Amino acid sequence: MVSRSGTGASSQDESSKGKVGMGTVGKGKGSARSESGRVPEYTVGLDIGGTKILGALLDPEGEVVGTVRRATVHGADGLVTGAARAVRDVVASGGVELAALAGVGLGIPGIVDHRSGTVKHAVNLGVHDEELPLAELLSAELGGVPVVVENDLNVAAVGAAHVLERSGDRAGGARDHEDLAFLALGTGLASGLVLDGQLRRGVSGAAGEIGHIPVDPLGPECTCGQRGCLERFASGKALEAAWPSRHGKPSPVELFEAARAGDEQAIVVKDRFASATASAVRLLVLTTDVRHVVLGGGVAQLGTELLDAVQDALREQAKASPFLGSLKLADRVQLAPTHVPVAAVGAAVLGRRS
């Protein structure tokens, strides 16, 4: 299961705090004021995973001016200390002072309450049943700099929207990339949603949990207790089960290498995985009609070879349905940007509202 936020926001909270606001931090908008009336300043975002922390420093115009990578220290105390060090390191890499920060945003797995800034059940970080007041503790470590905490997939979606909006590819208009789903093909399968510039968390924080939609009632049992969930067919774990690593490389890499070499069984497994991923794309478009579906997560590191396979599967599926053909699903899919740590950037964007 891909980690998600365990709590959601009311519609009022979504309206006031869920706005991504790329229009106020986008290219050429350094003097634009935020919803609170403040001129945006430097912000830091951290993407905290089980083995590493990736950090990004955004300048007042929303440009990435510093990045950092540090090893994750597990446990509550280590997590706070490690995050504080990462913030100081990335600020120093950008040549600015800690006092210049308007806020810090964190993207973290586990059950996250973005309103209180707490996290629990982040097991791969050494945080278990008790709520850790991460925002409060880190703010104290940083001398009072405001801190916001958000689910890791949500910050990835916000970061993808921010980076793509600034890429210059704006065929659909200036706010084109503020409408997307970030589809994480990691150990599990889930998505983060930015809909018309709004970060969509859902009432219970479950928005985008498409990995636990059953697609085969007779399929294998899922960790969520259901059977035949989409995650069992379109995820890194599904690939590992279908094509175990034989030569020490990640399973997705070995599978695609074998398929490229003409291994017939590998081609079957690859096509089946591409078809399942295409089904996830189709599901996201049919339920939210997002302009873009951005492929991220560990499996997406396969790059254009994966993208081509998924697009081919979407085109094949559309052949039997003029309706699907009219949606141009293959054209909506793209890879997550790789030149910056997207999730850390998204956390920094959310840190502007702290």
Side-chain angles (χ1 to χ4, degrees):
M1 182 185 300
V2 174
S3 59
R4 299 285 314 183
S5 169
T7 56
S10 66
S11 59
Q12 180 179 0
D13 188 62
E14 287 291 326
S15 169
S16 62
K17 293 188 177 181
K19 191 70 173 177
V20 174
M22 261 68 74
T24 64
V25 299
K27 190 175 294 182
K29 298 292 184 180
S31 61
R33 292 184 177 273
S34 66
E35 293 174 15
S36 65
R38 294 188 307 172
V39 174
E41 301 172 75
Y42 286 92
T43 54
V44 165
L46 301 182
D47 173 24
I48 301 178
T51 60
K52 64 183 181 298
I53 297 176
L54 298 178
L57 174 68
L58 295 191
D59 71 9
E61 296 180 348
E63 294 285 355
V64 178
V65 293
T67 60
V68 71
R69 177 184 177 125
R70 291 186 61 93
T72 301
V73 181
H74 291 197
D77 292 341
L79 189 59
V80 174
T81 301
R85 287 175 180 168
V87 170
R88 292 190 176 95
D89 285 352
V90 75
V91 166
S93 76
V96 300
E97 300 291 333
L98 187 63
L101 291 185
V104 171
L106 301 182
I108 191 168
I111 298 178
V112 176
D113 186 334
H114 68 278
R115 292 164 294 189
S116 64
T118 61
V119 61
K120 63 180 180 179
H121 294 303
V123 179
N124 63 339
L125 298 176
V127 177
H128 298 281
D129 296 340
E130 292 187 9
E131 283 190 337
L132 176 67
L134 185 54
E136 178 184 342
L137 293 173
L138 182 56
S139 178
E141 274 296 307
L142 298 174
V145 176
V147 176
V148 296
V149 181
E150 184 57 82
N151 171 263
D152 51 356
L153 279 180
N154 289 342
V155 297
V158 172
H162 180 75
V163 174
L164 293 173
E165 191 272 336
R166 299 172 64 82
S167 69
D169 177 16
R170 303 182 181 183
R175 297 177 65 83
D176 176 42
H177 290 103
E178 292 188 45
D179 193 73
L180 62 78
F182 183 91
L183 180 59
L185 301 168
T187 302
L189 176 76
S191 64
L193 301 171
V194 174
L195 307 178
D196 292 330
Q198 299 279 350
L199 174 58
R200 176 61 183 176
R201 298 181 180 92
V203 173
S204 59
E209 279 283 8
I210 64 168
H212 296 293
I213 294 177
V215 294
D216 180 1
L218 301 179
E221 187 175 351
C222 182
T223 55
C224 73
Q226 302 182 98
R227 282 196 171 274
C229 289
L230 186 55
E231 179 174 290
R232 296 305 307 267
F233 307 99
S235 66
K237 196 169 185 178
L239 265 187
E240 290 175 4
W243 194 268
S245 175
R246 304 167 190 181
H247 306 291
K249 297 179 182 179
S251 293
V253 173
E254 291 196 5
L255 170 64
F256 275 68
E257 285 180 349
R260 200 184 314 127
D263 185 307
E264 292 185 3
Q265 182 59 29
I267 292 172
V268 170
V269 174
K270 171 190 169 183
D271 289 347
R272 187 186 304 139
F273 177 78
S275 179
T277 304
S279 295
V281 172
R282 186 173 69 245
L283 193 156
L284 284 167
V285 173
L286 290 176
T287 53
T288 64
D289 201 23
V290 284
R291 189 180 297 276
H292 301 284
V293 178
V294 180
L295 303 182
V299 180
Q301 293 178 15
L302 288 166
T304 55
E305 197 171 15
L306 172 68
L307 178 63
D308 290 344
V310 174
Q311 289 178 324
D312 287 346
L314 286 166
R315 294 187 183 101
E316 187 64 30
Q317 292 170 2
K319 287 181 179 178
S321 170
F323 167 64
L324 288 181
S326 71
L327 296 177
K328 301 185 183 304
L329 298 177
D331 295 339
R332 303 194 193 200
V333 185
Q334 59 188 292
L335 294 169
T338 58
H339 62 287
V340 293
V342 170
V345 171
V349 171
L350 294 176
R352 290 180 178 275
R353 296 202 312 274
S354 63

